Amino acid sequence: MVDFSLLIAFVVTASILTITPGVDTAIVLRATAMDGRKQAAMAALGIALGCLAWGTAAAFGLGVLLHASEAAYAVVKWIGATYLVWVGIKLLAGPEAASDGNNPDSGSHHHGASAFW
């Protein structure tokens, strides 16, 4: 039997989390404000494809594998931690190092690859 009070609580919580702006929204807004519509569209496309990749991996059982294998989970966890440390070091080094060629003199600025990635 379905407990409707729990179902309503879940729907309300999921709805609030769905409409709350997050990092993805901030990335697209930053790309729009700094670089224009094309860069914002490329950023949105990159975010959408990233979500699609994660959803596909979950659908094919990556979540079950990570739950079942402590070693696989540890590998994914350390790869993620290493990436976050790398991004943090680049941000501490200064905006020039963190932008990865996002300046107007760079070729990637014009074709949207930096915003996509």
Side-chain angles (χ1 to χ4, degrees):
M1 187 80 190
V2 175
D3 187 355
F4 285 106
S5 63
L6 290 177
L7 179 62
I8 291 171
F10 171 77
V11 169
V12 168
T13 303
S15 298
I16 291 171
L17 290 174
T18 300
I19 63 171
T20 302
V23 175
D24 296 348
T25 304
I27 290 170
V28 173
L29 289 174
R30 184 221 169 263
T32 303
M34 301 295 289
D35 300 321
R37 289 171 47 177
K38 182 178 178 185
Q39 295 290 90
M42 291 303 292
L45 181 63
I47 290 166
L49 288 177
C51 291
L52 180 65
W54 177 249
T56 301
F60 284 108
L62 180 63
V64 173
L65 171 69
L66 294 178
H67 182 71
S69 171
E70 191 172 321
Y73 177 72
V75 167
V76 170
K77 182 172 66 170
W78 281 105
I79 289 171
T82 303
Y83 173 73
L84 290 175
V85 168
W86 176 65
V87 169
I89 289 171
K90 285 177 49 176
L91 287 173
L92 288 175
E96 296 83 20
S99 67
D100 281 339
N102 231 359
N103 60 22
D105 300 329
S106 149
S108 67
H109 175 78
H110 297 293
H111 58 75
S114 61
F116 178 83
W117 291 112

